[in-house]
Amino acid sequence: MYSALSFGCVLISLLSNLLGQFCGAKARRRLHKYLLYSVLGLPMKIFETTPLGRILARFSTDVTVIDKKLATSVQRLLQFLLLCFSAILVNSIVTPWFLTLAVPICIIYYGVQKFYRCSSRELQRLDSMTRTPILSHLTETISGLETIRAFKQQRRFIAAMFYKLDSHTNAFLISNSAARWLGIALDYLGAVIVLVAMLVSLICSNLMPAVVTPALVGLAINYTLLVPIYLNWVVKFISDVEMYMAGVERVCHYIKMKPFNSV
């Protein structure tokens, strides 16, 4: 029985991973193709008015996020949602009172992740906005290197590059600090969930010893320890998916731009 269950879990995991990677590869290949065709068909005035670093960022940073992170994050989000649901279901079956106490805590989880998502989304935009001037400055410096050296403006361009790097580093640091805050807040909420679940299990075991046996209490406590971990990952991947979708939004903006022959 256990061997069959283990084999079934391995098979389902393999199929889900293959299906997720296949769908993700198909989607990102299509996005990249449409983006390339759209940019190649844009009129020259777009390239004259748009910083080159912004266009390069679409093909470098945003495409990298779509290729490496988005599909995996969506797949992991679905996985941890199911794991979290199963852990809560086991606790609810063993001790039904756990569900009434867990609902307010889940609402608090939702409030925390909603607050973090709003901040992380804007911080991700800020990170992208501060990265684009670096690429633009680098490409412009390389293209005009002879002129810069002729007028002896190396120090000014180096100082400008350092300033842009500092701005991007500040945005990156703030984004990571927000992620660390989320981790600490979720750890505290997870500790509250574990405490409440253990108290409910012990109380039910004392009040209904014939129904809630010590074995069921041990099972409930075991799954209770997993609930905060699963909830933390669910919140993290929800926030990550929303941040990564900002890259898809920027890519789609360039895809929807009118090509040269339609202007």
Side-chain angles (χ1 to χ4, degrees):
M1 181 65 180
Y2 289 107
S3 300
L5 289 175
S6 300
F7 178 76
C9 291
V10 171
L11 183 61
I12 293 174
S13 177
L14 178 62
L15 292 177
S16 63
N17 285 324
L18 290 176
L19 182 61
Q21 292 301 321
F22 174 77
C23 295
K26 186 176 180 180
R28 56 181 173 258
R29 188 186 304 115
R30 182 176 298 179
L31 279 175
H32 184 269
K33 181 178 71 173
Y34 290 163
L35 176 63
L36 181 62
Y37 288 167
S38 177
V39 171
L40 291 178
L42 291 176
M44 290 303 299
K45 66 178 182 179
I46 298 295
F47 297 96
E48 295 173 356
T49 57
T50 304
L52 184 59
R54 187 176 301 173
I55 300 176
L56 290 176
R58 301 294 82 79
F59 283 96
S60 58
T61 306
D62 292 337
V63 171
T64 300
V65 168
I66 295 172
D67 286 346
K68 295 184 177 180
K69 297 181 179 180
L70 183 58
T72 303
S73 296
V74 172
Q75 192 173 353
R76 294 293 180 267
L77 174 60
L78 295 176
Q79 177 184 354
F80 280 103
L81 277 174
L82 294 175
L83 289 173
C84 184
F85 175 76
S86 63
I88 294 176
L89 182 63
V90 169
N91 280 277
S92 301
I93 293 174
V94 175
T95 54
W97 288 103
F98 170 78
L99 190 61
T100 59
L101 297 175
V103 169
I105 299 176
C106 291
I107 294 175
I108 297 175
Y109 259 90
Y110 175 77
V112 171
Q113 65 90 20
K114 184 178 180 181
F115 175 78
Y116 172 74
R117 279 168 49 204
C118 297
S119 303
S120 64
R121 183 173 60 248
E122 298 304 323
L123 289 174
Q124 183 68 20
R125 294 182 188 274
L126 183 62
D127 180 81
S128 177
M129 290 171 58
T130 54
R131 184 187 290 110
T132 300
I134 297 175
L135 298 174
S136 300
H137 185 79
L138 181 61
T139 54
E140 292 169 0
T141 301
I142 293 175
S143 62
L145 192 59
E146 294 82 2
T147 305
I148 295 172
R149 289 176 176 174
F151 288 91
K152 298 181 180 180
Q153 296 296 317
Q154 294 94 325
R155 291 183 180 274
R156 184 167 68 88
F157 276 79
I158 291 174
M161 174 59 78
F162 284 160
Y163 177 78
K164 291 177 172 60
L165 286 173
D166 288 341
S167 299
H168 175 65
T169 304
N170 290 335
F172 181 77
L173 179 62
I174 295 173
S175 179
N176 278 272
S177 299
R180 300 289 80 77
W181 172 86
L182 176 67
I184 294 173
L186 294 181
D187 285 341
Y188 279 114
L189 288 176
V192 173
I193 290 179
V194 172
L195 176 62
V196 170
M198 288 184 176
L199 290 177
V200 170
S201 299
L202 293 176
I203 292 173
C204 291
S205 178
N206 290 328
L207 296 178
M208 299 177 293
V211 178
V212 183
T213 62
L216 291 178
V217 172
L219 178 65
I221 292 176
N222 185 31
Y223 273 88
T224 300
L225 295 174
L226 298 175
V227 170
I229 300 174
Y230 293 156
L231 283 175
N232 290 359
W233 282 109
V234 167
V235 173
K236 179 183 181 301
F237 282 121
I238 288 176
S239 304
D240 288 347
V241 168
E242 187 168 3
M243 284 193 300
Y244 299 153
M245 287 302 294
V248 178
E249 179 185 0
R250 290 189 291 268
V251 169
C252 291
H253 172 71
Y254 275 78
I255 292 175
K256 294 178 181 178
M257 295 179 72
K258 293 183 179 180
F260 178 75
N261 54 10
S262 64
V263 176

